[in-house]
Amino acid sequence: MSLFLVALVSAAARAVSAAGAPPREVAVGALFTYNSTIGRAARLAIEIAVDDVNADRTVLAGTTLKLTTQDTNCSGFLGTIDALQLMEKNVIAVIGPQSSGIGHVISHVVNELHVPLLSFAATDPTLSASEYPYFLRTAISDYFQMHAVASIVDYYQWKEVTAIFVDDDYGRGGVSALGDALIAKRARISYKAAIPPNSNTDVINDVLFRVNMMESRVIVVHVNPDTGMNIFSAAKKLQMMADGYVWIATDWLAAVLDSSGSKDLKYMSHIQGLIFLRQHTPESDAKNKFMSKWNNVARNRSITSGLNSYGFYAYDSVWTVARAIDQFLTSGLQINFSKDPRLNDSNDSTLHLSTLEMFDGGDQLLQQLLLTNFTGITGPIQFDSDRNLVHPAYDIVNVGGTGSRLVGYWSNYSGLSVAAPEILYQKPPNTSTSAQRLYNVVWPGDSTTTPRGWVFPNNGQPLRVGVPIKASFKELVSIGQGSDNVTGYCIDIFNAAIKLLPYPVPCQFMAIGNGRKNPNYDDIISMVAANFMQSLDAAVGDFAILLLCGWKHLTEKLTSGQNTAGKFTRNYLIEELNVPESRLVPLNTIQEYADALNRGPKGGGVAAIVDEMPYVDLFLSKHCNFRIVGQEFTKEGWGFAFQRDSPLAEDLSTAILQLSESGQLQRIHDEWFSEPSCASDDSEVGATRLGLGSFWGLFLVCALICIFALVVFFIRICWQYSQYFNSEAADEPGAAAAAAAAAAAAAAVTERQRRPTRLGSFKELIQFVDKKEAEIRRTMKQRSSDKDNQAAGPSDPHPVASA
């Protein structure tokens, strides 16, 4: 009987539509779980939205929006049945579901019947338009949320995270998007901990126990709102909410906290120091008005749970459908349904599939939905080319005490900021690293210091360190019987640095090579980088940028050796120093170095060896008759190999720096590269050592030049002094000379007295030397000019006096 009545109503509606008049009502369905954190907020929001639409005469004038809801009860199977029941009622659009898993299932149903599906809470990024053309997400996709999480991880310079997620479409899709977002930031998910839906406390404890054994202490939690708080309760008991841990929860936690009443504040003690995200909805009068109306209705109905952001998106979803239907009808289109010939009931079937009809205007209504452009209580309601809401943004919130505080925002427009996204939209986008900013965070354990984000894993697994077994230069690194019997210069530095770390790091050395031939170093580095078969975490040895090479006469032949390890040096000599390849001679051992140098270039050997300092020091410690000449070509040193962005690499680099500053690095060097025999044996070294006697000829030439210069200087000074004195004598006043001319005897006495004055004293000579040459010349020139003026004066016997 019910199906018969539905058929009559459907036929009447089609008849009215065919006449061209707008229908008196249009049916819209809604699918969600009534008794859930999201469902309780969304149900009331949807009902309020329908009432607001029907009360607004500017939208669907003359047509009533009729709402039919179905409870999916968190079940994909029941959600499918509910969707089929809605389709029987000829709804032209469905709002929901809230579950991504149910969204995957019923999207196939709406695709067949051409009924648009608008979900306000199914955030799984894999719900794409390419696979589900009639699916339209009216909330923010987790694709953007995971990029927000990755930006936070990058902001604090963490490189690895552990992801705890619910093992369903929602959880798996979100974590997959997180992994891609982290890779773009040069970080990664080091461990994925899946929790089955509706898991009990024992399962959760087991998952957290495994998480606690991992290296990363940055834990991202992406689970369902209704069971997620159990994770933090268990973590609190396992002391995983203490100092050193980082917990980042996605927007499910915001929904829980926003919906919780005062009786649920006990959970706040379990999440102190945690960071969570909330969909950002800008403040507006429309938003405040809706919140007031929602709270009043909830109070009248004795609803104890609160409103969360999913309720906002549910409200806007109803208005999105209403506006699209209004445009659909205004354009003259009619609401018609037709039978799908593929939906035929078999003779013994009781499913009544034949009652399902296909909405003929589904494609046109979908296009109107995609053209939506208005401002809702969540902000701009508009879809981009990928059918995502424009301007996705999140609040970043830090839990502390009995509440929480905002520490910043993330938007797809400008990344992390302390300014609201709607303010930044008015400025040019800026996602540079320097522009990213958050307020200070109080971390678990009430710490204000940013956690390091990792510890050495507490899983009983030692650090697996590869050691190359070399055929030569065993003083650098060698291994005996058993992995514990590892010695060498590189090993001593590594062990000393490990002891300086602020945490214990057990190590297990693993031999690489057979000892008869040097292993390929490129292969060892590749094994570490790829974590080959999960058997190698690091490598210790003489790994460097420049390796062994040698050369002859700087027309002679050169050496390049250590097998494949010398490829870079060979290319460096040929390409950078323009050394002909024909002059390169491969050498591999210390003895080969000595033999080649002793033979010399004429005897088929080499004139010089070019190598890294540790190799040269090791060679010279055994062969004291050779010396280092020239300068180093490069300053690159050796290093230990770790996986890319390994946090242990940074701490170990700091430890090696401490070794260098304390002098221990030099002491280790001296222990391996200083031979007592070379330090005391100077018999052969003296022949090549330069002493004072080696430069006697140079000293003699310098002395002769200095003496010659001094003699010339003295002669020149004496000549200048004589000229200076003569000019001074010629400058005597004329009156004194006239008076002395009367007595010849007095003139003779004056001449005798003047003679020692002309010669002057040694003190006067020194004073003359101190004078500048320019001053002397200026004085002599002035005196010469005065003399000429005096000589010209008496030639005029009758001078003219001026008045």
Side-chain angles (χ1 to χ4, degrees):
M1 178 63 68
S2 61
L3 293 179
F4 177 72
L5 291 176
V6 169
L8 287 178
V9 173
S10 176
R14 287 197 295 270
V16 173
S17 297
R24 296 181 58 183
E25 65 179 23
V26 290
V28 173
L31 290 171
F32 52 88
T33 300
Y34 292 173
N35 189 24
S36 66
T37 300
I38 295 176
R40 286 187 291 269
R43 183 177 186 179
L44 192 53
I46 291 174
E47 292 177 3
I48 294 174
V50 172
D51 291 340
D52 290 347
V53 168
N54 289 331
D56 190 337
R57 292 296 89 190
T58 64
V59 178
L60 291 176
T63 300
T64 300
L65 189 66
K66 181 182 179 181
L67 176 68
T68 302
T69 62
Q70 294 283 75
D71 185 4
T72 59
N73 201 26
C74 290
S75 170
F77 174 71
L78 294 179
T80 304
I81 295 177
D82 291 335
L84 293 174
Q85 291 176 346
L86 282 178
M87 298 303 110
E88 288 181 340
K89 299 175 183 178
N90 286 343
V91 295
I92 63 173
V94 176
I95 298 173
Q98 72 186 59
S99 167
S100 297
I102 298 176
H104 279 278
V105 175
I106 66 175
S107 289
H108 294 286
V109 177
V110 298
N111 284 351
E112 292 296 326
L113 300 180
H114 295 184
V115 177
L117 181 67
L118 289 80
S119 177
F120 56 87
T123 56
D124 176 16
T126 62
L127 280 167
S128 62
S130 58
E131 185 177 2
Y132 307 112
Y134 280 86
F135 175 85
L136 189 61
R137 193 187 342 263
T138 53
I140 304 177
S141 169
D142 279 340
Y143 169 86
F144 299 105
Q145 178 167 214
M146 296 310 169
H147 275 75
V149 173
S151 295
I152 296 173
V153 171
D154 181 63
Y155 178 79
Y156 292 108
Q157 300 182 358
W158 299 316
K159 295 302 180 182
E160 294 184 353
V161 305
T162 294
I164 300 178
F165 63 99
V166 60
D167 194 9
D168 60 8
D169 292 311
Y170 158 75
R172 290 188 295 267
V175 168
S176 178
L178 175 61
D180 294 339
L182 288 172
I183 289 175
K185 300 291 187 180
R186 292 190 61 181
R188 68 186 183 99
I189 300 177
S190 58
Y191 182 68
K192 296 180 180 180
I195 298 181
N198 302 319
S199 295
N200 58 31
T201 304
D202 292 338
V203 174
I204 293 175
N205 285 336
D206 182 62
V207 170
L208 291 179
F209 181 77
R210 294 196 302 270
V211 167
N212 205 31
M213 294 174 63
M214 297 298 111
E215 179 179 90
S216 174
R217 282 295 180 263
V218 181
I219 306 171
V220 178
V221 184
H222 185 60
V223 294
N224 292 320
D226 298 289
T227 58
M229 291 302 295
N230 297 333
I231 294 175
F232 298 120
S233 299
K236 179 74 171 180
K237 295 178 181 178
L238 293 174
Q239 298 183 352
M240 295 176 65
M241 301 300 297
D243 187 16
Y245 287 86
V246 176
W247 291 86
I248 303 176
T250 53
D251 58 12
W252 67 267
L253 182 58
V256 173
L257 297 180
D258 293 342
S259 302
S260 299
S262 58
K263 64 178 182 180
D264 296 318
L265 290 179
K266 61 180 181 180
Y267 291 116
M268 297 299 292
S269 63
H270 299 159
I271 57 175
Q272 294 294 301
L274 176 143
I275 291 178
F276 68 87
L277 278 69
R278 177 193 289 121
Q279 298 103 323
H280 176 71
T281 54
E283 295 300 322
S284 65
D285 293 338
K287 176 183 174 182
N288 294 332
K289 182 179 179 180
F290 165 72
M291 293 174 61
S292 177
K293 186 179 297 185
W294 193 99
N295 290 328
N296 289 334
V297 175
R299 191 180 305 110
N300 294 334
R301 297 186 185 182
S302 300
I303 298 176
T304 58
S305 61
L307 176 63
N308 56 57
S309 58
Y310 289 104
F312 298 146
Y313 286 105
Y315 180 87
D316 279 349
S317 298
V318 175
W319 275 98
T320 301
V321 170
R323 290 175 180 272
I325 295 175
D326 182 60
Q327 292 296 319
F328 177 88
L329 297 176
T330 302
S331 63
L333 295 174
Q334 300 176 354
I335 299 176
N336 293 317
F337 294 85
S338 60
K339 296 289 185 181
D340 188 342
R342 296 172 298 175
L343 298 176
N344 293 322
D345 294 324
S346 58
N347 294 332
D348 55 350
S349 175
T350 59
L351 295 178
H352 304 293
L353 295 179
S354 59
T355 62
L356 299 178
E357 294 182 314
M358 186 167 56
F359 177 34
D360 295 337
D363 186 60
Q364 290 81 358
L365 180 59
L366 178 62
Q367 295 307 313
Q368 292 297 333
L369 287 168
L370 294 176
L371 294 175
T372 298
N373 187 0
F374 72 98
T375 300
I377 61 174
T378 60
I381 308 299
Q382 186 179 358
F383 300 98
D384 60 18
S385 57
D386 294 325
R387 300 189 180 183
N388 290 312
L389 286 175
V390 297
H391 299 325
Y394 288 88
D395 299 337
I396 302 174
V397 186
N398 181 212
V399 178
T402 59
S404 58
R405 64 186 186 93
L406 189 70
V407 295
Y409 305 89
W410 178 92
S411 70
N412 195 41
Y413 186 77
S414 294
L416 299 175
S417 69
V418 294
E422 51 269 22
I423 297 177
L424 298 178
Y425 295 148
Q426 303 173 10
K427 304 177 181 179
N430 187 359
T431 57
S432 63
T433 302
S434 60
Q436 307 300 290
R437 185 188 170 196
L438 293 175
Y439 290 123
N440 293 334
V441 172
V442 178
W443 304 100
D446 200 28
S447 172
T448 57
T449 302
T450 302
R452 182 170 52 192
W454 73 281
V455 295
F456 193 78
N458 187 26
N459 55 8
Q461 178 71 41
L463 187 71
R464 297 158 297 188
V465 182
V467 178
I469 306 303
K470 301 166 59 67
S472 58
F473 294 96
K474 294 183 179 296
E475 292 84 353
L476 300 178
V477 57
S478 64
I479 188 169
Q481 298 295 329
S483 60
D484 294 335
N485 189 16
V486 182
T487 59
Y489 169 66
C490 298
I491 302 299
D492 282 0
I493 293 178
F494 179 78
N495 288 334
I498 287 291
K499 293 179 180 178
L500 292 179
L501 297 180
Y503 44 85
V505 180
C507 299
Q508 178 184 359
F509 294 103
M510 306 179 68
I512 302 176
N514 54 22
R516 296 186 295 274
K517 179 181 179 181
N518 290 343
N520 189 306
Y521 281 23
D522 292 338
D523 292 344
I524 297 176
I525 300 300
S526 298
M527 291 169 63
V528 174
N531 196 14
F532 180 68
M533 296 182 65
Q534 296 184 346
S535 61
L536 207 60
D537 301 314
V540 173
D542 48 341
F543 299 105
I545 297 176
L546 288 179
L547 294 179
L548 176 67
C549 65
W551 74 68
K552 299 188 184 179
H553 223 249
L554 273 44
T555 58
E556 310 295 348
K557 290 185 177 181
L558 307 176
T559 68
S560 66
Q562 292 237 32
N563 300 325
T564 56
K567 289 182 180 179
F568 181 85
T569 305
R570 173 183 174 275
N571 295 336
Y572 181 81
L573 290 172
I574 295 174
E575 298 174 5
E576 300 295 332
L577 300 183
N578 298 319
V579 177
E581 185 176 4
S582 59
R583 293 170 56 192
L584 297 178
V585 177
L587 299 175
N588 292 304
T589 65
I590 292 179
Q591 190 57 46
E592 289 181 4
Y593 290 1
D595 293 342
L597 286 173
N598 286 326
R599 290 199 306 269
K602 296 182 179 179
V606 298
I609 297 291
V610 176
D611 204 347
E612 292 181 88
M613 284 304 299
Y615 293 119
V616 173
D617 290 341
L618 185 59
F619 172 71
L620 294 179
S621 68
K622 299 180 181 298
H623 298 275
C624 311
N625 54 324
F626 299 107
R627 280 293 175 269
I628 297 174
V629 295
Q631 300 296 322
E632 294 182 53
F633 291 110
T634 63
K635 295 295 183 181
E636 287 83 357
W638 288 353
F640 305 137
F642 291 88
Q643 295 179 19
R644 182 178 181 177
D645 297 325
S646 169
L648 186 60
E650 181 178 352
D651 288 354
L652 206 60
S653 297
T654 303
I656 293 176
L657 181 62
Q658 295 175 0
L659 290 177
S660 177
E661 293 174 347
S662 66
Q664 189 174 355
L665 194 64
Q666 184 62 42
R667 289 192 291 272
I668 296 175
H669 175 276
D670 295 341
E671 290 176 3
W672 285 98
F673 300 137
S674 297
E675 289 286 340
S677 57
C678 282
S680 59
D681 186 6
D682 293 334
S683 58
E684 297 183 11
V685 176
T688 59
R689 182 175 298 170
L690 295 177
L692 184 62
S694 303
F695 300 95
W696 67 270
L698 179 62
F699 290 147
L700 178 61
V701 172
C702 292
L704 292 176
I705 292 175
C706 291
I707 293 173
F708 177 76
L710 184 61
V711 171
V712 171
F713 175 77
F714 183 76
I715 293 175
R716 186 168 179 268
I717 287 296
C718 290
W719 179 82
Q720 286 183 339
Y721 180 68
S722 176
Q723 293 295 320
Y724 181 81
F725 182 83
N726 290 337
S727 64
E728 181 180 10
D731 199 26
E732 293 292 336
V749 173
T750 302
E751 181 65 22
R752 286 194 300 269
Q753 292 176 349
R754 186 181 302 275
R755 199 169 290 157
T757 303
R758 183 177 299 138
L759 294 177
S761 64
F762 180 75
K763 181 178 180 181
E764 292 175 342
L765 179 62
I766 296 301
Q767 292 176 346
F768 175 78
V769 172
D770 289 340
K771 291 185 178 181
K772 296 182 179 179
E773 184 173 356
E775 180 182 354
I776 294 173
R777 290 180 178 180
R778 185 169 58 254
T779 302
M780 294 176 63
K781 183 177 180 180
Q782 180 66 34
R783 290 175 178 176
S784 176
S785 177
D786 293 344
K787 181 179 179 182
D788 292 341
N789 292 336
Q790 292 175 5
S795 62
D796 188 359
H798 302 288
V800 179
S802 59

XYZ file of all heavy atoms in Angstrom, residues 746-796:
407
model
N 140.328 92.139 10.881
C 139.060 91.573 11.418
C 138.488 90.571 10.470
O 137.928 89.557 10.868
C 138.082 92.725 11.680
N 138.661 90.796 9.146
C 138.143 89.845 8.134
C 138.855 88.528 8.233
O 138.280 87.456 8.076
C 138.289 90.434 6.738
N 140.180 88.560 8.496
C 140.930 87.299 8.595
C 140.478 86.491 9.787
O 140.329 85.272 9.730
C 142.441 87.617 8.689
N 140.220 87.227 10.899
C 139.748 86.524 12.098
C 138.386 85.897 11.857
O 138.113 84.762 12.248
C 139.724 87.497 13.288
C 139.084 86.851 14.499
C 141.133 87.963 13.618
N 137.520 86.669 11.171
C 136.167 86.155 10.890
C 136.224 84.923 10.022
O 135.475 83.960 10.206
C 135.327 87.248 10.193
O 135.262 88.397 11.021
C 133.933 86.751 9.870
N 137.161 84.891 9.063
C 137.280 83.709 8.181
C 137.703 82.498 8.963
O 137.240 81.396 8.738
C 138.297 84.044 7.087
C 138.500 82.916 6.076
C 137.262 82.638 5.291
O 136.366 83.508 5.180
O 137.118 81.506 4.789
N 138.623 82.734 9.905
C 139.063 81.602 10.712
C 137.953 81.100 11.607
O 137.820 79.911 11.869
C 140.286 82.029 11.557
C 141.553 82.151 10.751
C 142.761 82.235 11.663
N 142.688 83.385 12.553
C 143.213 84.592 12.246
N 143.815 84.814 11.097
N 143.141 85.592 13.125
N 137.093 82.038 12.113
C 136.000 81.619 12.980
C 134.867 80.946 12.192
O 134.151 80.100 12.690
C 135.437 82.838 13.734
C 136.420 83.403 14.763
C 135.890 84.652 15.417
O 134.897 85.209 14.966
N 136.539 85.080 16.488
N 134.716 81.350 10.907
C 133.605 80.818 10.116
C 133.882 79.390 9.652
O 132.977 78.610 9.439
C 133.390 81.718 8.898
C 132.160 81.348 8.077
C 132.051 82.276 6.894
N 131.971 83.654 7.312
C 130.829 84.263 7.673
N 129.708 83.603 7.655
N 130.842 85.541 8.049
N 135.112 79.004 9.544
C 135.466 77.720 8.979
C 134.897 76.565 9.777
O 134.288 75.649 9.217
C 136.986 77.659 8.834
C 137.451 76.610 7.873
C 138.914 76.782 7.581
N 139.155 77.972 6.781
C 140.307 78.638 6.711
N 141.330 78.257 7.429
N 140.439 79.697 5.931
N 134.992 76.483 11.076
C 134.366 75.380 11.810
C 132.856 75.443 11.781
O 132.201 74.415 11.826
C 134.907 75.551 13.234
C 135.339 76.976 13.319
C 135.799 77.377 11.976
N 132.275 76.686 11.658
C 130.815 76.769 11.579
C 130.324 76.174 10.284
O 129.286 75.536 10.221
C 130.390 78.230 11.694
O 130.896 78.771 12.891
C 128.870 78.379 11.642
N 131.078 76.365 9.194
C 130.647 75.823 7.906
C 130.581 74.314 7.945
O 129.742 73.693 7.323
C 131.617 76.312 6.839
C 131.244 75.876 5.432
C 132.190 76.453 4.432
N 132.146 77.913 4.450
C 133.203 78.713 4.377
N 134.417 78.203 4.302
N 133.067 80.026 4.409
N 131.537 73.717 8.602
C 131.520 72.262 8.682
C 130.345 71.766 9.543
O 129.779 70.722 9.288
C 132.850 71.769 9.273
C 134.080 72.032 8.391
C 135.339 71.569 9.106
C 133.935 71.318 7.049
N 129.955 72.540 10.546
C 128.815 72.159 11.392
C 129.168 71.030 12.334
O 130.245 70.447 12.271
N 128.197 70.689 13.182
C 128.382 69.605 14.145
C 127.624 68.360 13.693
O 126.790 68.408 12.776
C 127.887 70.054 15.526
O 126.495 70.303 15.469
N 127.924 67.253 14.323
C 127.243 65.988 13.999
C 125.757 66.074 14.336
O 124.894 65.521 13.625
C 127.894 64.851 14.785
C 127.262 63.509 14.515
C 127.510 62.833 13.331
C 126.419 62.940 15.453
C 126.910 61.611 13.091
C 125.814 61.720 15.206
C 126.074 61.045 14.025
N 125.466 66.845 15.394
C 124.056 67.018 15.771
C 123.283 67.742 14.690
O 122.151 67.413 14.365
C 123.973 67.788 17.093
C 122.542 67.999 17.587
C 122.544 68.724 18.912
C 121.105 68.921 19.397
N 121.066 69.658 20.706
N 123.942 68.800 14.083
C 123.291 69.526 13.007
C 123.071 68.632 11.803
O 122.070 68.751 11.085
C 124.129 70.751 12.629
C 124.170 71.805 13.710
C 125.099 72.946 13.344
O 125.931 72.731 12.433
O 125.007 74.009 13.961
N 124.013 67.748 11.551
C 123.866 66.814 10.422
C 122.659 65.897 10.620
O 121.877 65.644 9.687
C 125.145 65.982 10.283
C 125.120 64.927 9.152
C 124.956 65.607 7.794
C 126.407 64.097 9.180
N 122.496 65.423 11.859
C 121.353 64.559 12.159
C 120.054 65.323 11.991
O 119.069 64.823 11.434
C 121.469 63.980 13.564
C 122.710 63.072 13.671
C 120.200 63.176 13.929
C 122.729 61.921 12.720
N 120.035 66.578 12.462
C 118.842 67.403 12.306
C 118.536 67.645 10.838
O 117.373 67.697 10.419
C 119.015 68.732 13.044
C 119.068 68.585 14.562
C 119.329 69.901 15.249
O 119.720 70.895 14.612
N 119.162 69.913 16.568
N 119.593 67.796 10.036
C 119.403 67.994 8.593
C 118.808 66.741 7.951
O 117.939 66.818 7.082
C 120.764 68.340 7.964
C 120.695 68.440 6.454
C 120.165 69.578 5.851
C 121.131 67.396 5.645
C 120.102 69.670 4.477
C 121.057 67.493 4.284
C 120.537 68.624 3.681
N 119.279 65.576 8.392
C 118.768 64.316 7.839
C 117.288 64.155 8.144
O 116.509 63.641 7.336
C 119.578 63.124 8.387
C 118.925 61.804 7.983
C 121.004 63.182 7.883
N 116.847 64.616 9.318
C 115.444 64.481 9.714
C 114.516 65.329 8.871
O 113.315 65.080 8.801
C 115.273 64.846 11.192
C 115.889 63.789 12.099
O 116.072 62.655 11.601
O 116.156 64.090 13.270
N 115.068 66.414 8.270
C 114.224 67.265 7.456
C 113.786 66.538 6.192
O 114.530 65.748 5.627
C 114.960 68.557 7.074
C 115.210 69.489 8.243
C 115.825 70.795 7.755
C 116.036 71.763 8.926
N 116.598 73.040 8.458
N 112.580 66.889 5.744
C 112.084 66.288 4.514
C 112.815 66.872 3.314
O 113.186 68.045 3.301
C 110.582 66.528 4.370
C 109.753 65.850 5.452
C 108.281 66.085 5.225
C 107.452 65.376 6.296
N 105.993 65.611 6.114
N 112.997 66.080 2.295
C 113.724 66.509 1.104
C 113.021 67.685 0.423
O 113.671 68.612 -0.064
C 113.857 65.336 0.137
C 114.700 65.685 -1.085
C 114.969 64.473 -1.972
O 114.553 63.355 -1.571
O 115.570 64.644 -3.030
N 111.672 67.665 0.420
C 110.936 68.769 -0.212
C 111.166 70.078 0.532
O 111.283 71.159 -0.073
C 109.445 68.438 -0.237
N 111.293 69.992 1.855
C 111.530 71.190 2.661
C 112.914 71.759 2.380
O 113.115 72.977 2.298
C 111.366 70.845 4.142
C 111.595 72.023 5.075
C 111.472 71.615 6.542
O 111.092 70.437 6.804
O 111.756 72.447 7.420
N 113.901 70.890 2.232
C 115.281 71.325 1.950
C 115.332 72.042 0.610
O 115.933 73.118 0.467
C 116.223 70.116 1.980
C 116.284 69.536 3.403
C 117.608 70.507 1.498
C 117.068 68.243 3.492
N 114.719 71.446 -0.386
C 114.733 72.056 -1.713
C 114.016 73.402 -1.707
O 114.461 74.369 -2.352
C 114.080 71.123 -2.718
C 114.921 69.874 -3.019
C 114.210 68.999 -4.035
N 115.015 67.821 -4.362
C 114.638 66.874 -5.225
N 113.447 66.988 -5.821
N 115.414 65.853 -5.461
N 112.909 73.496 -0.979
C 112.171 74.745 -0.921
C 112.998 75.844 -0.244
O 113.034 77.002 -0.667
C 110.855 74.529 -0.174
C 109.954 75.754 -0.174
C 108.550 75.430 0.344
N 108.583 74.889 1.693
C 108.375 73.608 1.979
N 108.105 72.757 1.001
N 108.434 73.184 3.230
N 113.725 75.483 0.829
C 114.566 76.451 1.541
C 115.722 76.944 0.671
O 116.029 78.144 0.595
C 115.110 75.816 2.831
O 114.006 75.388 3.638
C 115.960 76.808 3.621
N 116.375 76.004 -0.029
C 117.503 76.372 -0.897
C 117.046 77.254 -2.042
O 117.729 78.217 -2.435
C 118.182 75.117 -1.433
C 118.859 74.282 -0.348
S 119.549 72.734 -0.982
C 120.789 73.384 -2.112
N 115.882 76.974 -2.593
C 115.359 77.778 -3.691
C 115.022 79.193 -3.228
O 115.273 80.185 -3.922
C 114.122 77.086 -4.270
C 113.562 77.816 -5.468
C 112.373 77.046 -6.035
C 111.800 77.775 -7.248
N 110.628 77.042 -7.811
N 114.467 79.306 -2.002
C 114.115 80.613 -1.461
C 115.371 81.465 -1.231
O 115.411 82.656 -1.520
C 113.330 80.426 -0.149
C 112.909 81.717 0.515
C 111.901 82.485 -0.331
O 111.088 81.876 -1.011
N 111.999 83.815 -0.298
N 116.408 80.829 -0.697
C 117.656 81.545 -0.439
C 118.308 82.005 -1.740
O 118.878 83.097 -1.833
C 118.615 80.675 0.358
C 118.151 80.454 1.792
C 119.052 79.488 2.517
N 118.625 79.330 3.903
C 119.196 78.466 4.760
N 120.218 77.716 4.352
N 118.761 78.391 6.002
N 118.244 81.185 -2.757
C 118.805 81.562 -4.053
C 118.068 82.753 -4.636
O 118.666 83.677 -5.207
C 118.740 80.371 -5.013
O 119.201 80.741 -6.297
N 116.755 82.792 -4.462
C 115.945 83.908 -4.968
C 116.265 85.186 -4.206
O 116.387 86.274 -4.799
C 114.462 83.568 -4.832
O 113.670 84.655 -5.243
N 116.443 85.084 -2.894
C 116.782 86.265 -2.088
C 118.148 86.831 -2.482
O 118.365 88.054 -2.515
C 116.777 85.915 -0.608
C 115.368 85.569 -0.123
O 114.389 85.899 -0.838
O 115.242 84.945 0.978
N 119.084 85.958 -2.803
C 120.422 86.382 -3.205
C 120.375 87.182 -4.495
O 121.039 88.202 -4.660
C 121.322 85.166 -3.340
C 122.750 85.516 -3.743
C 123.598 84.256 -3.841
C 125.042 84.593 -4.271
N 125.857 83.366 -4.404
N 119.565 86.726 -5.442
C 119.437 87.424 -6.713
C 118.806 88.794 -6.516
O 119.199 89.787 -7.162
C 118.578 86.606 -7.677
C 119.279 85.317 -8.093
O 120.503 85.229 -7.947
O 118.550 84.385 -8.563
N 117.842 88.916 -5.620
C 117.184 90.194 -5.358
C 118.160 91.205 -4.739
O 118.143 92.401 -5.039
C 115.983 90.006 -4.441
C 114.873 89.239 -5.135
O 114.801 89.243 -6.364
N 114.004 88.619 -4.328
N 119.043 90.724 -3.833
C 120.025 91.599 -3.202
C 121.051 92.101 -4.215
O 121.512 93.238 -4.181
C 120.729 90.884 -2.059
C 119.802 90.598 -0.875
C 120.493 89.778 0.207
O 121.706 89.512 0.084
N 119.753 89.424 1.236
N 121.373 91.219 -5.150
C 122.352 91.617 -6.170
C 121.778 92.650 -7.111
O 122.470 93.532 -7.620
C 122.818 90.397 -6.952
N 120.530 92.657 -7.377
C 119.889 93.607 -8.301
C 119.556 94.927 -7.630
O 119.348 95.948 -8.297
C 118.615 92.999 -8.903
N 119.533 95.039 -6.314
C 119.098 96.250 -5.607
C 120.000 97.471 -5.841
O 119.525 98.533 -6.226
N 121.349 97.492 -5.649
C 122.225 98.674 -5.744
C 122.355 99.207 -7.154
O 122.901 100.264 -7.388
C 123.560 98.166 -5.224
C 123.189 96.972 -4.407
C 122.019 96.370 -5.069
N 121.937 98.573 -8.198
C 122.100 99.037 -9.587
C 121.280 100.259 -9.907
O 121.507 100.936 -10.903
C 121.735 97.914 -10.546
O 120.369 97.572 -10.366
N 120.312 100.656 -9.076
C 119.487 101.847 -9.317
C 119.896 102.950 -8.312
O 119.515 102.904 -7.144
C 118.021 101.495 -9.149
C 117.121 102.644 -9.581
O 117.639 103.702 -9.979
O 115.857 102.456 -9.495
